[in-house]
């Protein structure tokens, strides 16, 4: 499908987008929005179980950062007139179940889940950064900045998870592989539908 | 305004491209098309006295296109009119632009001939082209209808953009959502009035399987435009719900309009008003149901706590 050059003016945020590569930007914003939404729900699930434990504050802090990320992507979605993924209600439930489920395996289980998800997300952000750099770093400067910042945050969450003994979780490698496979599937679907 | 028009054009082009591609492929195979191009070239040459254009155009006739197109994205191999050295002449008209012009001219003849090849032929004749130009298009009039729908959608976007500018400049009041939707749908449906006799025919053609992708695309981008200008900023499943509801309202109102014989279609506009009001109520009702549900849950929790307290105190005693 040839890239479509479209000039767009958004009514609410008065952003004027000249010659944006619509299909690529659409996908990027849709999948990132879905990802942050899912991450929010995962942390919500973890807090529901471990909120009153010793790692509660740590998870809460990471959750707050994800909330900021989601807010930013909500703004970008409106600015670029991107449609959200149809699967949002599904990610709502699946994310919460994953968070709560991993938390029921204990604090280390929750941290293992965090490590797996954050690693997936930061790899995914990295490949998006590469794509945008290949397209046109100047044109997408703002978006690149946002994604780079968020990638650094997710990396930080990943490291926090490791610090809190994620690797000592029961069946760590199996858990991690399964969760990352799920993330890959979620990314694939959210980009398209 | 240019940007918005181009934007709306871009959104339209997605739908346009789906069936344009087919039209282009067919054009390369059909002889009348080549005759048309040759005649168009020669006509232009004689009109404007450009020197090397004729011969080099004839040479370039069978060549593959350069990437010079005055307008949108490349669509694969197409004959192009380029002067020597690959430079474009200023009055270069692409095939798509020519087809646009023919279809626009053909609209005038639709009330008389319907959405048919006759209307297209008449349109071509008013542009000084041979009636055989209608051979460029599908015989069931699909392109004419899709062109018309696309044009109406563009006009609607322009109108909405204008209104928005006025509101931003403070020269007009921001309308409440239900009124905005009502006015937008009414404005769009009013564009059908000159063609209302033949519109049912058009609707049935748009439902043909080979037209459904394009007509669906045009419909969804129009509905998305209306919600965008209405100020919709939802980023959750509401995005889909709102568009689905508005699509339902638009389609049913359109059907009612086909059957309406009241003066200036007042029955249709009343129907529209009621449907929009229903849609607004649906939203309110959903909220009410949710808050009632929450209240009930809280009541049950309170009851459970009371009961467990009572049992504990009985056990203690």
């Amino acid at each position: 499908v040839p890239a479509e050059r479209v000039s767009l003016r958004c009514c609410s945020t008065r952003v004027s987008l000249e010659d944006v590569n619509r299909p690529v930007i659409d996908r990027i914003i849709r999948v990132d929005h879905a990802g942050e939404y899912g991450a929010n729900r995962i942390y919500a699930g973890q807090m529901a179980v471990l909120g009153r434990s010793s790692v509660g504050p740590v998870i809460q802090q990471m959750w707050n950062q994800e909330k900021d990320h989601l807010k930013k992507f909500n703004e970008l979605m409106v600015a670029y007139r991107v449609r959200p993924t149809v699967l949002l209600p599904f990610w709502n439930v699946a994310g919460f179940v994953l968070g709560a489920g991993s938390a029921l395996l204990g604090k280390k289980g929750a941290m293992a889940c965090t490590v797996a998800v954050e690693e997936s997300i930061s790899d995914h952000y990295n490949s998006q950064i590469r794509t945008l750099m290949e397209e046109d770093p100047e044109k997408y400067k703002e978006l690149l900045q946002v994604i780079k910042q968020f990638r650094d945050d997710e990396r930080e969450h990943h490291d926090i998870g490791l610090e809190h003994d994620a690797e000592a979780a029961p069946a760590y490698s199996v858990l991690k592989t399964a969760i990352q496979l799920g993330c890959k599937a979620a990314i694939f679907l959210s980009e398209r539908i | 305004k240019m940007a918005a028009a181009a934007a709306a054009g871009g959104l339209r082009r997605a739908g346009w491209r789906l069936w344009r591609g087919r039209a282009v492929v067919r054009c390369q195979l059909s002889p009348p098309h080549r005759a048309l191009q040759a005649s168009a070239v020669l006509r232009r040459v004689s009109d404007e006295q450009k020197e090397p254009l004729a011969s080099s155009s004839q040479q370039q006739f069978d060549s593959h296109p350069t990437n010079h197109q005055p307008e949108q994205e490349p669509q694969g191999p197409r004959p192009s009119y380029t002067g020597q050295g690959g430079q474009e002449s200023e009055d270069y008209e692409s095939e798509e632009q020519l087809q646009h012009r023919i279809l626009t001219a053909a609209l005038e003849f639709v009330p008389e001939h319907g959405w048919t090849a006759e209307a297209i032929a008449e349109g071509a004749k008013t542009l000084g082209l041979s009636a055989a130009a209608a051979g460029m298009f599908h015989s069931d009039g699909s392109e004419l209808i899709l062109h018309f729908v696309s044009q109406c959608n563009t006009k609607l976007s322009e109108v909405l953009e204008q209104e928005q500018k006025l509101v931003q400049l403070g020269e007009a009041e921001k309308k409440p959502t239900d009124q905005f939707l009502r006015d937008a749908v009414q404005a769009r449906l009013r564009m059908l009035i000159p063609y209302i006799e033949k519109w049912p025919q058009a609707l049935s053609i748009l439902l043909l399987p080979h037209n459904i992708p394009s007509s669906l695309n045009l419909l969804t981008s129009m509905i998305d435009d209306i919600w965008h200008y209405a100020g919709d900023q939802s980023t959750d499943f509401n995005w889909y719900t709102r568009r689905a509801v508005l699509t339902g309202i638009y389609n049913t109102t359109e059907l009612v309009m086909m059957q309406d014989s009241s003066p200036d279609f007042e029955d249709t506009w009343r129907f529209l008003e009621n449907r929009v009001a229903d849609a607004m109520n649906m939203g309110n009702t959903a909220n009410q149901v949710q808050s009632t549900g929450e209240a009930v849950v809280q009541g049950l929790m309170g009851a459970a706590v009371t009961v467990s307290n009572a049992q504990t105190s009985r056990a203690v005693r």
Side-chain angles (χ1 to χ4, degrees):
Chain A
V1 175
E4 198 170 25
R5 308 282 158 186
V6 165
S7 176
L8 217 58
R9 175 165 302 130
C10 168
C11 71
S12 46
T13 62
R14 312 231 66 199
V15 170
S16 179
L17 310 163
E18 304 288 317
D19 283 330
V20 166
N21 184 344
R22 284 299 299 189
V24 167
I25 297 296
D26 248 24
R27 275 196 175 183
I28 288 182
I29 295 186
R30 177 161 51 250
V31 74
D32 288 350
H33 174 264
E36 296 301 343
Y37 183 79
N40 252 278
R41 296 304 293 154
I42 292 177
Y43 283 123
Q46 290 187 343
M47 279 305 284
V49 176
L50 292 172
R52 270 165 293 221
S53 70
S54 58
V55 293
V58 177
I59 301 180
Q60 180 67 51
Q61 201 226 2
M62 293 197 285
W63 190 14
N64 291 340
Q65 277 186 314
E66 298 296 350
K67 285 183 187 156
D68 284 337
H69 289 188
L70 182 60
K71 199 149 71 96
K72 183 66 186 171
F73 273 116
N74 281 336
E75 288 165 14
L76 285 175
M77 186 163 256
V78 173
Y80 285 84
R81 284 184 71 171
V82 175
R83 89 179 151 83
T85 166
V86 198
L87 297 170
L88 277 181
F90 183 69
W91 300 144
N92 186 353
V93 173
F96 192 88
V97 164
L98 176 62
S102 62
L104 286 171
L105 292 174
K107 300 182 203 152
K108 302 197 180 110
M111 289 301 152
C113 170
T114 302
V115 164
V117 171
E118 300 294 6
E119 190 177 305
S120 269
I121 290 192
S122 46
D123 283 345
H124 170 66
Y125 276 153
N126 274 334
S127 63
Q128 285 185 344
I129 292 172
R130 270 193 291 274
T131 308
L132 289 176
M133 294 292 268
E134 274 165 14
E135 283 273 328
D136 188 339
E138 270 316 300
K139 207 195 295 179
Y140 303 117
K141 199 154 69 148
E142 194 221 332
L143 190 55
L144 268 172
Q145 218 172 335
V146 168
I147 297 184
K148 280 183 190 164
Q149 170 66 43
F150 289 4
R151 186 229 19 219
D152 294 342
D153 291 344
E154 308 295 2
R155 211 65 230 177
E156 199 188 311
H157 293 179
H158 171 266
D159 296 340
I160 291 176
L162 285 177
E163 276 169 35
H164 283 82
D165 300 326
E167 282 157 335
Y172 174 70
S173 48
V174 174
L175 200 58
K176 183 164 176 234
T177 317
I179 292 178
Q180 291 194 324
L181 213 57
C183 286
K184 279 207 186 65
I187 290 173
F188 179 83
L189 290 173
S190 300
E191 274 181 343
R192 286 155 185 80
I193 52 181
Chain B
K1 193 193 165 183
M2 282 290 284
L11 291 170
R12 270 183 310 114
R13 271 194 289 279
W16 176 273
R17 248 185 325 120
L18 283 170
W19 55 274
R20 279 283 304 120
R22 200 173 39 82
V24 169
V25 170
R26 242 185 324 104
C27 288
Q28 289 172 329
L29 305 174
S30 63
H33 178 56
R34 294 176 166 225
L36 170 68
Q37 283 190 330
S39 71
V41 169
L42 293 171
R43 200 171 46 91
R44 209 184 348 271
V45 164
S46 60
D47 286 345
E48 276 115 15
Q49 309 285 319
K50 284 267 195 287
E51 347 75 75
L53 187 56
S55 51
S56 54
S57 290
Q58 291 293 60
Q59 280 172 346
Q60 301 276 3
F61 199 65
D62 290 308
S63 71
H64 285 299
T66 64
N67 1 352
H68 297 301
Q69 298 285 349
E71 30 166 86
Q72 306 90 2
E73 65 285 3
Q75 290 193 16
R78 283 209 270 159
S80 66
Y81 304 120
T82 52
Q84 284 175 340
Q87 295 296 349
E88 276 171 356
S89 58
E90 278 161 1
D91 56 345
Y92 170 94
E93 182 187 48
S94 80
E95 175 191 319
E96 190 173 333
Q97 279 177 323
L98 178 65
Q99 293 191 338
H100 265 275
R101 280 203 306 137
I102 296 178
L103 292 176
T104 308
L107 286 178
E108 189 187 327
F109 300 95
V110 165
E112 191 188 331
H113 296 280
W115 304 93
T116 56
E118 282 91 60
I120 302 178
E122 294 294 324
K125 284 203 280 213
T126 62
L127 293 178
L129 301 169
S130 136
M136 257 202 281
F137 304 100
H138 210 129
S139 58
D140 62 8
S142 302
E143 284 102 334
L144 183 55
I145 303 171
L146 288 166
H147 170 83
F148 172 67
V149 170
S150 175
Q151 230 183 20
C152 289
N153 291 354
T154 313
K155 261 192 273 186
L156 180 68
S157 297
E158 286 168 9
V159 164
L160 293 178
E161 176 78 25
Q162 281 306 312
E163 268 179 33
Q164 188 192 69
K165 279 219 183 64
L166 290 179
V167 171
Q168 281 167 348
L169 293 173
E171 290 172 22
E173 284 294 306
K174 187 166 159 58
K175 293 185 205 169
T177 310
D178 59 346
Q179 196 189 343
F180 184 93
L181 297 178
R182 254 189 291 139
D183 291 347
V185 172
Q186 188 180 137
R188 176 62 179 78
L189 287 175
R190 278 189 181 274
M191 297 181 197
L192 300 179
I193 292 180
Y195 308 94
I196 196 90
E197 300 288 315
K198 307 286 182 182
W199 193 245
Q201 179 199 10
L203 281 181
S204 60
I205 293 178
L206 284 178
L207 287 173
L208 290 174
H210 67 91
N211 284 331
I212 286 192
S214 329
S215 64
L216 211 53
N217 213 305
L218 287 169
L219 177 64
T220 52
S221 60
M222 187 246 308
I223 298 288
D224 182 47
D225 251 1
I226 296 181
W227 267 120
H228 170 73
Y229 286 105
D232 176 42
Q233 298 201 337
S234 38
T235 53
D236 53 4
F237 202 73
N238 269 328
W239 193 96
Y240 291 92
T241 319
R242 288 180 178 181
R243 279 151 184 75
V245 166
L246 186 58
T247 309
I249 294 176
Y250 179 84
N251 283 337
T252 49
T253 311
E254 193 178 23
L255 291 175
V256 165
M257 197 175 169
M258 299 297 107
Q259 321 277 42
D260 191 4
S261 49
S262 61
D264 195 39
F265 299 95
E266 13 178 85
D267 287 348
T268 307
W269 312 135
R270 207 169 321 122
F271 177 88
L272 173 61
E273 193 177 330
N274 290 337
R275 296 291 76 73
V276 171
D278 285 345
M280 298 289 123
N281 281 341
M282 243 192 337
N284 291 341
T285 312
N287 288 342
Q288 280 176 354
V289 164
Q290 196 180 10
S291 40
T292 308
E294 280 168 12
V296 165
V297 165
Q298 292 217 351
L300 287 174
M301 300 277 273
V305 168
T306 313
V307 165
S308 77
N309 283 348
Q311 284 182 338
T312 323
S313 59
R314 193 147 33 96
V316 165
R317 240 181 291 123

